[in-house]
Amino acid sequence: MTLPLLPNSLTDGRPTMLGVLGGGQLGRMFVHAAQSLGYETVVLDPDRHSPAGRISHHFIEAGYRDPDGLRELAARAQAITTEFENVPAESLAELARTRPVAPPAECVAIAQDRVREKAHFARCAARAEQAPSGPGGVAPAPYAVIETEVDLSAVPDALLPGILKTARMGYDGKGQARVATRDELAAAWHGMGGVACVLEQLLPLAFECSVIVARGRDGQVVSLPVQRNLHRGGILAVTEVYEGNVPPALARQAQAATIDIANELSYVGVLCVEYFVLQDGRLIVNEMAPRPHNSGHYTVDACDASQFDLQVRTLAGLPLPPPRQHSAAIMLNLLGDLWFDAACAPRPLPWADVLALPGAHLHLYGKTEARPGRKMGHLTFTGPDAASVRERALRAAALLGIEAF
């Protein structure tokens, strides 16, 4: 399936149009990146007020499984991507019958199922360990799959205490429960409706990190720097990216493992893989997101090619020069809780004071209603070194009422 590389390259003179299944903030930032290269965009989303739909050239108000909406998207767009992990893989497969689609439906299906995802990670780690050289494989935490009462009874004692996670539809800490005993495990599994789950051994965690790569149809892969992440309540709160944020050898291992994961999937598009770093220095792979990721938002301001620029390039078949980070960066996630005081009354936020700080880059997503836990925007600080960006990010956190880090 041939895709025109550049805008206005079709024989009838119409601009090349790129499609997005999903209208959230990741889609919005993809649309900005596509439009900066001259592409037109079309977004399909059930919400007519979606962040991406409000700024796209064209908008299709339809559900993600709606046959008419999918046909219209395929008719308008020369290539199609998605912007959230729970998009129906079947819809991507249907679109791929007539249009280039990235990421591939099968890769999205694997990422949506923790059982298949962990099996893929384990295979990649085993292959890497057999390689004659390199940083070595990165395996998932010890785990067991629980789909039946028999599986529940057969869970090894060594996996407790652990974290029980639903195999599907879990994100931002949803569909998870910490369990210390067999009774707690049984209660949690039944409380989740007895659906397929994965029980992971609880390991001594030092910190978390993530790696974002972009892979083209020709197999070329480029990697962004390793991001050090802090989560609160299962939601990303802070990302720090600068020299020395993680030990160099560990960073090389994480990047190599992420590239292996993408290559083994024959992945096309932008892929984020999240890791745990244990107190003994070992690296454990946690999960992957088949799309740009919250931890990569800093790239818009701190790199010469953002994760969204890379998403456009992989979708349109453009070259993938290695991205370069030119500034130290810290990103603060802005959740809807900030828009309310302790009594849950709406409150004004001191944006003027925040934007007076050097290196401040505010990105609000155009959402019309603030709600607790809802991602409303992000705030990135850039500067020449880690110390300066950290000092300014902490000052902004104090101004906004965000917990220090």
Side-chain angles (χ1 to χ4, degrees):
M1 198 176 295
T2 302
L3 177 68
L5 293 180
L6 296 171
N8 302 311
S9 61
L10 296 183
T11 54
D12 63 5
R14 292 185 296 111
T16 301
M17 189 175 298
L18 302 180
V20 189
L21 200 60
Q25 63 265 18
L26 298 177
R28 181 184 180 95
M29 287 179 271
F30 169 84
V31 166
H32 281 312
Q35 291 175 348
S36 73
L37 284 176
Y39 292 99
E40 290 198 358
T41 57
V42 53
V43 169
L44 183 150
D45 193 275
D47 180 7
R48 68 175 61 191
H49 302 298
S50 64
R54 293 174 66 191
I55 66 165
S56 181
H57 293 92
H58 305 279
F59 176 66
I60 301 169
E61 185 179 353
Y64 303 125
R65 299 179 186 273
D66 182 83
D68 293 334
L70 295 174
R71 277 193 292 270
E72 183 179 353
L73 180 62
R76 287 181 176 270
Q78 277 74 59
I80 300 163
T81 189
T82 183
E83 60 95 41
F84 72 111
E85 63 268 45
N86 286 325
V87 64
E90 316 88 76
S91 296
L92 294 176
E94 176 63 27
L95 291 166
R97 293 175 59 189
T98 57
R99 290 288 182 262
V101 172
E106 177 62 12
C107 298
V108 173
I110 291 172
Q112 290 174 345
D113 186 330
R114 281 196 172 96
V115 176
R116 298 181 67 189
E117 180 184 64
K118 288 190 179 297
H120 178 71
F121 292 158
R123 285 192 299 270
C124 290
R127 290 193 189 100
E129 288 298 336
Q130 295 170 2
S133 62
V138 180
Y143 71 96
V145 177
I146 301 175
E147 297 178 317
T148 67
E149 293 282 356
V150 173
D151 295 332
L152 184 65
S153 300
V155 167
D157 291 337
L159 293 185
L160 293 169
I163 303 176
L164 185 68
K165 300 179 179 180
T166 56
R168 299 183 62 84
M169 301 301 289
Y171 64 97
D172 287 346
K174 298 177 175 65
Q176 301 186 17
R178 290 197 176 200
V179 293
T181 66
R182 288 189 171 277
D183 286 344
E184 289 181 2
L185 171 60
W189 184 64
H190 289 116
M192 292 175 179
V195 298
C197 288
V198 170
L199 175 67
E200 299 175 10
Q201 184 183 16
L202 190 62
L203 299 172
L205 178 65
F207 62 89
E208 299 175 60
C209 63
S210 59
V211 178
I212 293 171
V213 298
R215 187 178 187 276
R217 288 183 179 83
D218 60 357
Q220 181 188 7
V221 188
V222 297
S223 176
L224 287 159
V226 178
Q227 294 113 203
R228 181 164 177 156
N229 303 321
L230 170 65
H231 288 80
R232 293 185 178 126
I235 300 175
L236 182 67
V238 183
T239 293
E240 302 180 69
V241 194
Y242 44 74
E243 187 174 355
N245 64 338
V246 299
L250 186 146
R252 289 192 295 271
Q253 186 183 18
Q255 287 179 311
T258 307
I259 291 170
D260 283 348
I261 289 167
N263 282 335
E264 290 293 335
L265 288 169
S266 296
Y267 192 84
V268 178
V270 169
L271 175 73
C272 179
V273 180
E274 297 182 76
Y275 298 89
F276 297 136
V277 180
L278 304 185
Q279 292 176 8
D280 62 8
R282 285 184 295 147
L283 194 64
I284 298 291
V285 61
N286 178 30
E287 61 186 15
M288 64 183 180
R291 53 169 174 78
H293 192 258
N294 203 170
S295 65
H297 288 346
Y298 76 96
T299 59
V300 173
D301 302 301
C303 297
D304 58 8
S306 76
Q307 61 174 343
F308 304 102
D309 295 326
L310 297 176
Q311 187 183 17
V312 173
R313 285 171 177 259
T314 57
L315 184 62
L318 295 171
L320 285 175
R324 179 183 65 89
Q325 184 180 359
H326 52 70
S327 301
I330 293 180
M331 186 212 72
L332 307 178
N333 218 6
L334 304 176
L335 301 182
D337 311 64
L338 297 179
W339 274 254
F340 303 93
D341 62 21
C344 297
R347 67 165 183 137
L349 289 166
W351 296 128
D353 294 332
V354 170
L355 292 173
L357 298 171
H361 306 270
L362 177 62
H363 299 264
L364 297 178
Y365 302 148
K367 296 182 179 179
T368 56
E369 180 186 3
R371 297 194 298 267
R374 191 182 196 193
K375 295 172 184 175
M376 300 297 294
H378 67 271
L379 177 64
T380 299
F381 281 87
T382 57
D385 52 59
S388 62
V389 295
R390 188 175 182 85
E391 186 269 335
R392 291 162 188 164
L394 285 169
R395 286 170 62 188
L399 286 167
L400 293 169
I402 297 173
E403 184 180 345
F405 50 93

